[in-house]
Amino acid sequence: MVFTLRSFATGCLGVVLHYGDPAPGDPVSAQLEAARAHAHHGPSGTGPRHGTALCLSGGGFRAAMFHLGAVRRLDELGLLGSLRTISAVSGGAIVANLLADPGLGWPDPSGPPARVSGFEECVAAPLHRLASRNVRTPAMLSRLHPARWTRADSSVTMLAEQLQSAIPWWAGDLRETTRGGPVILTSATEVGYGVSWLFADARSIAPRGRIGDHRLGYAAPPPGLRVADAVAASCSHPPFFAPLELDGRTLGLVGGVPDPDAPVEVREGIRSRIQLADGGVYDNLGLEPVWSDHAALLVSDGGSTLRGQPAGSTMSRLWHLLSIASGGGKTTRLRWLHAAYSAGSVHGATWSLESPAPGYPSDVVSVINRVRTDLDAFSGAEQMVLERHGYLVTDAAVRRHAPQLPTLATDLQPPHGQVGDPFAVSQMLRESDRITPLGRH
């Protein structure tokens, strides 16, 4: 057994404990070292850092609307158009893949800060329409249809169909693109090895992009794998949605570092039935694909906040323990990132639903934090509040923590003035934490 606790940033206190490591030089030791070298457990890139990455967290439509406010303000500041990469999971993946719309006009990223054209038509309006729909319940109920009983991933397949019906161009192949703008990375969790699986669009690696993970290897996306499939896989939170399944034997995956302790048949079993669940299960911030080689990292966190809970039933304790496990990974990544900011190895800013900002006092921010993370329909008021809050906290975080990033001189113009009154917002959101079994619309 190997147990390791190590700091992730220069200047942080590190403690390393090893129990039962194989002797140096033996074959098992060599395999373990190879696995460690390829594992994405910290920023280990050897080349120079360059460019800015934006990470958009998971959290259903709540996170998506919060991120819409964030990218709206980043666009006004000229930062959206200068991004090298957008890395996203779950609700964040919805926004990221709307930003892949071929109708958007992107400025030269090497030029001075400039706005992206078509933002309202290609990003804001489609997202507001999508978030007004209940795409969760039809997908979940699809398991009851006899025609889908033989498909283990029927619910996530139906979710993809729901997403495609709302965003028609997502029917296109992930491997095809004619757009400009940053690379879009959509992450899911590969269940077999418990690592991050990447859907990288065609701008990432010419000419077709790539899919895969560091355990099973990588390949170009197969024909017929839609943008909607990648987004649905990233959103398929267990146990509400089944994982998306791929047959890795037909993908042509190359590379990858197998588990040296597992029999060959285990690896082949995983490869023959690759199961992809919500990206937030492994890395809800979408940091790992970008944290080793970008000079600046901007992180928008619209995910759930772990809250205190008294002792209850066995199921409630189990659910709370799972939340602790998931939240611990996010906290560790954020601590590494903030340490890296302090050490000067990377610069940037993070913000979240909990972040204070001009506009809403702390008690209203607490109400916003309790809004459900769901793919059920969100009311117009809920959408506007989340977008406005995301806009305000993003501006405050960037101006305070990333002043070195070149920006446009622009006035603050928060959207949706009709939800600017804190008391009215508290009334609008008084039941927004409630998840209904069959949906709100």
Side-chain angles (χ1 to χ4, degrees):
M1 177 182 73
V2 180
F3 174 79
T4 302
L5 173 64
R6 188 188 300 273
S7 66
F8 286 141
T10 303
C12 291
L13 177 64
V15 179
V16 182
L17 302 173
H18 295 281
Y19 297 107
D21 272 3
D26 72 27
V28 175
S29 177
Q31 288 179 315
L32 281 171
E33 288 303 318
R36 290 174 184 143
H38 287 79
H40 297 242
H41 296 309
S44 57
T46 57
R49 293 176 175 273
H50 69 283
T52 301
L54 172 63
C55 299
L56 301 177
S57 80
F61 284 155
R62 183 184 80 168
M65 297 312 306
F66 178 75
H67 298 325
L68 177 61
V71 297
R72 181 185 292 281
R73 186 52 181 160
L74 292 177
D75 181 42
E76 291 177 355
L77 293 171
L79 291 173
L80 184 62
S82 65
L83 294 175
R84 173 186 162 200
T85 308
I86 301 176
S87 175
V89 301
S90 191
I94 294 172
V95 178
N97 284 276
L98 285 172
L99 288 165
D101 192 313
L104 287 169
W106 292 88
D108 181 356
S110 62
R115 299 284 300 273
V116 176
S117 65
F119 183 87
E120 288 297 331
E121 300 83 358
C122 298
V123 182
L127 181 55
H128 279 290
R129 290 195 298 269
L130 174 60
S132 300
R133 297 177 54 169
N134 176 7
V135 300
R136 176 253 288 169
T137 304
M140 292 175 59
L141 293 180
S142 68
R143 300 182 184 184
L144 303 178
H145 196 287
R148 294 179 177 266
W149 287 351
T150 58
R151 290 206 57 165
D153 61 352
S154 63
S155 58
V156 71
T157 301
M158 175 58 77
L159 177 60
E161 293 172 7
Q162 292 283 314
L163 294 171
Q164 179 186 314
S165 69
I167 315 292
W169 73 265
W170 279 1
D173 276 14
L174 184 69
R175 59 193 270 141
E176 304 293 343
T177 187
T178 56
R179 65 174 180 84
V183 167
I184 306 296
L185 304 178
T186 302
S187 294
T189 298
E190 192 273 291
V191 177
Y193 280 115
V195 297
S196 181
W197 175 279
L198 202 62
F199 295 94
D201 72 0
R203 285 188 61 80
S204 63
I205 297 177
R208 301 298 187 192
R210 73 174 187 174
I211 60 173
D213 63 45
H214 72 279
R215 285 294 200 184
L216 288 170
Y218 296 92
L225 184 65
R226 304 166 295 176
V227 176
D229 295 319
V231 177
S234 189
C235 291
S236 59
H237 195 285
F240 308 107
F241 300 103
L244 179 71
E245 295 195 356
L246 299 175
D247 185 349
R249 297 169 298 184
T250 66
L251 295 178
L253 296 166
V254 296
V257 181
D259 182 349
D261 298 323
V264 174
E265 55 267 26
V266 171
R267 179 175 174 81
E268 290 307 308
I270 295 172
R271 183 187 290 268
S272 65
R273 191 179 176 187
I274 299 172
Q275 295 189 316
L276 305 177
D278 189 324
V281 173
Y282 179 77
D283 175 12
N284 199 46
L285 297 175
L287 260 174
E288 287 202 4
V290 296
W291 66 0
S292 66
D293 61 351
H294 286 70
L297 295 172
L298 302 173
V299 179
S300 183
D301 181 10
S304 298
T305 301
L306 183 66
R307 303 187 182 282
Q309 178 178 306
S313 67
T314 300
M315 285 303 299
S316 67
R317 290 199 304 272
L318 177 59
W319 190 260
H320 192 60
L321 285 170
L322 292 173
S323 299
I324 293 172
S326 176
K330 183 176 80 169
T331 300
T332 299
R333 290 181 175 91
L334 283 174
R335 285 178 175 171
W336 167 81
L337 183 57
H338 292 155
Y341 289 157
S342 298
S345 58
V346 66
H347 57 272
T350 69
W351 57 87
S352 75
L353 279 163
E354 290 185 296
S355 300
Y360 296 138
S362 59
D363 59 330
V364 176
V365 172
S366 295
V367 173
I368 295 173
N369 262 276
R370 290 194 291 272
V371 174
R372 65 202 178 280
T373 56
D374 199 359
L375 293 176
D376 189 9
F378 273 52
S379 70
E382 290 171 331
Q383 294 181 39
M384 289 188 289
V385 170
L386 289 164
E387 182 180 355
R388 184 180 177 89
H389 187 51
Y391 178 100
L392 290 168
V393 298
T394 299
D395 179 79
V398 169
R399 291 191 182 280
R400 179 178 180 183
H401 299 292
Q404 62 274 78
L405 294 177
T407 59
L408 294 170
T410 178
D411 293 334
L412 199 64
Q413 300 176 339
H416 313 306
Q418 61 268 49
V419 294
D421 176 54
F423 177 77
V425 167
S426 296
Q427 296 301 306
M428 293 172 184
L429 302 184
R430 63 182 181 275
E431 293 188 1
S432 293
D433 60 334
R434 187 170 56 89
I435 296 177
T436 59
L438 295 179
R440 294 173 179 245
H441 297 293

